[in-house]
């Protein structure tokens, strides 16, 4: 393994893959090939800052596997972005798309930058230059980026415009998670959170838990966490805790979600200033008593250090890679029902797929079509995974990985090895 890939996230992704590949008896040649990305691009992104000096940022775009279709995966702007993390996220995207039956391979990209430190102009120049640098890899039939940590629909609109300027015509299908005005879809903004809630409710039905007496703690209040919390409340559950990078709020009787949204999202005021909950650290949040815990921030949050202290019955992974292998073992001993990331947070890429289909057909759907089709795909992936896990006496994570890997392996076998 190249030393740039040697990061905790990549080691976690490979260790999960190794376990699943071994359990399913994956062809050793395929095993070797799928351990590594298909291609990785590292780029320098020079940006003229507002004070006139030029700062050079490092960016990446990684394709893990394109055997089943164009690559698909988000773009992350975060100071910890590195090749290993991007490669891990790309690998998880491959299994996620296959598990949901989407005709995509896995990709991911990112820039090592703290976006909150940039002005709007700097952010736009960084995005356009990054998009120009990864231009050889992206395109509606090649690789279709989407938002991830630190990026949003405005960033996607700038990428769409930069790509369109290069090819000479409007190419909405080059990214998903765009604004509606340039070919975005209704329902993409909250799709990941909606999918998290869909699978949570299915799991509760399976476990005989009543949503109206269930409590939820959510780590992270960005795109995934905030919509998850809002839709949980709309579905009759009580959200007792949420957090952002600064810390979290806890109220055992439930947080007032509408007031919290107005305070944090509309008025952009610090979480800590919200009256209606006690202040907790992100670490304390993980140990709160609750029925459902949703990590929806970064990877490797639940580790062998803190897993024993979790009090939830269900762990629903909104984030990618939030649980380490050691923590998985501890949670299994505690009989915590884990809905793994590649299943739990697949609502985002499922609705991204709907957006790409609509862009390709130039024919747009109604909100009801989006929600129903998302529900169909994600709940049937959940039930297939559950049935396989029960039949083989394996965890939901192993079952989801094996299902996804199996579909990718089949595509490789059918296509054959080039040349
Ligand atoms: P975001 O940037 O919108 O939000 C991230 C949230 O995490 C913010 O509230 C931030 O304050 C918080 N955070 C950052 N560092 C933290 C830390 N050290 N401890 C606690 N909280 C911290 O990002 P997002 O799009 O919501 O993505 C969150 C996770 O979900 C990521 O793992 C991402 O890969 C995954 N995901 C996102 C999507 C999507 O559609 N956006 C889809 C699937 C998976």
């Amino acid at each position: 393994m190249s030393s740039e890939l040697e990061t905790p996230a990549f080691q976690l992704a490979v260790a999960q893959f190794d376990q699943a590949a071994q359990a399913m008896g994956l062809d050793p040649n395929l095993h070797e090939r799928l351990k590594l990305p298909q291609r990785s691009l590292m780029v320098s992104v020079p940006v003229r800052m507002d004070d006139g000096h030029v700062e050079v940022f490092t960016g990446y775009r990684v394709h893990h596997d394109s055997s089943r279709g164009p690559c698909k995966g988000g773009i992350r702007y975060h100071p910890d972005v590195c090749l290993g993390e991007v490669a891990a996220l790309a690998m998880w995207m491959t299994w996620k798309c296959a598990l949901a039956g989407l005709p995509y391979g896995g990709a991911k990209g990112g820039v090592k930058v703290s976006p909150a430190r940039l002005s709007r102009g700097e952010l736009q120049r960084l995005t356009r230059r990054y998009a120009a640098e990864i231009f050889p890899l992206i395109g509606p039939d090649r690789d279709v980026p989407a938002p991830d940590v630190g990026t949003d629909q405005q960033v996607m609109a700038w990428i769409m415009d930069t790509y369109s300027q290069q090819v000479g015509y409007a190419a909405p299908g080059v990214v998903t998670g765009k604004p509606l005005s340039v070919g975005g879809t209704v329902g993409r903004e909250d799709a990941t959170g909606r999918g998290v809630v869909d699978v949570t409710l299915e799991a509760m039905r399976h476990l005989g838990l009543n949503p109206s007496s269930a409590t939820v703690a959510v780590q992270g209040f960005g795109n995934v966490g905030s919509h998850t919390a809002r839709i949980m409340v709309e579905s009759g559950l009580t959200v007792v805790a949420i957090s952002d990078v600064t810390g979290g709020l806890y109220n055992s009787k439930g947080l007032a979600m509408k007031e919290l949204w107005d305070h944090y999202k509309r008025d952009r005021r610090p979480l800590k200033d919200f009256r209606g909950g006690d202040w907790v650290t992100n670490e304390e949040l993980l140990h709160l008593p609750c029925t459902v815990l949703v990590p929806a921030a970064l990877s490797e949050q639940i580790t062998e250090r803190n897993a024993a202290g979790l009090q939830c019955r269900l762990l629903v992974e909104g984030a990618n890679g939030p649980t380490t292998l050691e923590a998985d073992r501890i949670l299994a001993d505690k009989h915590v029902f884990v809905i793994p990331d590649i299943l739990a947070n697949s609502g985002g890429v499922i609705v991204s797929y709907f957006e790409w289909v609509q862009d390709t057909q130039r024919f747009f759907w109604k909100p009801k079509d989006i929600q129903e089709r998302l529900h169909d795909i994600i709940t049937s992936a959940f039930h297939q995974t559950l049935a396989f896990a029960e039949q083989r006496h394996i965890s939901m994570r192993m079952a989801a990985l094996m299902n996804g890997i199996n579909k990718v392996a089949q595509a490789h076998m059918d296509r054959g090895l080039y040349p």
Side-chain angles (χ1 to χ4, degrees):
M1 191 189 296
S2 119
S3 61
E4 286 89 27
L5 289 173
E6 289 273 1
T7 59
F10 192 69
Q11 284 163 347
L12 174 61
V14 171
Q16 289 175 348
F17 172 55
D18 284 347
Q19 264 190 7
Q22 204 166 12
M24 63 194 277
L26 182 67
D27 177 290
N29 297 318
L30 266 180
H31 189 166
E32 274 312 298
R33 153 62 195 93
L34 291 171
K35 256 185 180 180
L36 292 169
Q38 179 177 342
R39 56 177 80 92
S40 313
L41 179 66
M42 180 175 167
V43 296
S44 296
V45 186
V47 179
R48 174 92 51 203
M49 305 305 275
D50 290 345
D51 67 3
H53 88 284
V54 173
E55 212 164 309
V56 184
F57 298 90
T58 304
Y60 306 89
R61 187 74 189 166
V62 171
H63 293 174
H64 173 255
D65 185 71
S66 63
S67 58
R68 300 181 61 261
C71 292
K72 188 87 191 77
I75 289 175
R76 180 174 288 199
Y77 288 175
H78 192 275
D80 294 341
V81 162
C82 59
L83 182 61
E85 182 185 72
V86 175
L89 291 161
M91 184 187 288
W92 284 320
M93 282 304 295
T94 302
W95 316 141
K96 190 185 300 183
C97 292
L99 177 66
L102 310 179
Y104 287 136
K108 206 80 181 189
V111 179
K112 190 174 177 60
V113 61
S114 204
R117 282 187 38 243
L118 303 183
S119 69
R120 185 181 161 89
E122 289 167 343
L123 187 67
Q124 178 171 174
R125 292 193 289 280
L126 171 107
T127 299
R128 287 184 179 281
R129 184 59 187 254
Y130 169 67
E133 294 298 339
I134 63 167
F135 179 79
L137 291 199
I138 61 174
D141 294 321
R142 218 170 256 200
D143 170 12
V144 184
D148 191 73
V149 175
T151 56
D152 59 11
Q153 52 171 314
Q154 177 60 73
V155 170
M156 293 306 117
W158 288 328
I159 296 178
M160 178 268 184
D161 184 64
T162 305
Y163 182 87
S164 300
Q165 297 299 340
Q166 307 259 343
V167 294
Y169 53 87
V174 67
V175 286
T176 57
K178 304 176 293 293
L180 286 177
S181 60
V182 287
T185 183
V186 289
R188 175 61 186 88
E189 170 84 16
D190 64 8
T192 310
R194 193 167 291 285
V196 166
V197 177
D198 280 347
V199 293
T200 303
L201 293 175
E202 292 303 306
M204 292 183 75
R205 205 164 296 140
H206 165 67
L207 297 169
L209 300 169
N210 181 0
S212 63
S213 53
T215 54
V216 186
V218 184
Q219 186 196 50
F221 204 59
N223 175 289
V224 180
S226 63
H227 288 293
T228 295
R230 177 180 61 77
I231 300 168
M232 287 283 187
V233 170
E234 287 168 11
S235 307
L237 291 86
T238 304
V239 172
V240 293
I242 57 109
S243 70
D244 69 4
V245 66
T246 62
L249 287 166
Y250 173 58
N251 184 335
S252 61
K253 299 206 164 40
L255 294 163
M257 197 49 60
K258 161 113 188 35
E259 287 74 10
L260 189 56
W261 264 71
D262 288 350
H263 172 93
Y264 190 76
K265 296 267 182 187
R266 188 192 63 197
D267 304 341
R268 299 186 178 279
R269 297 181 54 204
L271 215 48
K272 205 167 190 170
D273 292 352
F274 184 74
R275 307 260 164 265
D278 298 326
W279 192 245
V280 290
T281 65
N282 266 296
E283 191 68 19
E284 286 163 349
L285 180 141
L286 299 175
H287 291 161
L288 292 171
C290 57
T291 320
V292 184
L293 175 64
V294 183
L298 301 176
S299 60
E300 298 131 68
Q301 297 299 302
I302 300 162
T303 65
E304 65 184 327
R305 227 170 13 85
N306 59 17
L310 262 61
Q311 299 195 54
C312 57
R313 176 73 185 89
L314 259 137
L315 177 69
V316 187
E317 296 183 334
N320 285 307
T323 312
T324 65
L325 279 190
E326 298 77 17
D328 256 344
R329 281 192 274 274
I330 297 169
L331 296 177
D333 289 344
K334 285 167 64 76
H335 302 291
V336 174
F337 188 89
V338 178
I339 311 183
D341 46 8
I342 62 168
L343 172 59
N345 70 35
S346 61
V349 72
I350 292 169
V351 176
S352 273
Y353 166 61
F354 297 163
E355 180 174 334
W356 178 77
V357 168
Q358 293 170 81
D359 288 338
T360 306
Q361 298 188 335
R362 307 288 198 266
F363 178 71
F364 288 86
W365 309 352
K366 298 190 182 85
K368 189 167 160 285
D369 303 329
I370 303 278
Q371 281 187 24
E372 285 177 2
R373 287 173 176 163
L374 165 62
H375 182 80
D376 277 358
I377 293 179
I378 202 163
T379 56
S380 74
F382 174 85
H383 286 292
Q384 276 169 24
T385 306
L386 180 64
F388 191 53
E390 291 193 324
Q391 183 199 337
R392 299 281 297 257
H393 304 291
I394 52 177
S395 67
M396 286 290 282
R397 186 182 317 283
M398 266 312 111
L401 284 167
M402 285 164 74
N403 262 332
I405 294 166
N406 194 35
K407 290 186 191 170
V408 177
Q410 191 60 49
H412 276 271
M413 292 301 190
D414 289 341
R415 285 179 61 158
L417 180 62
Y418 177 86

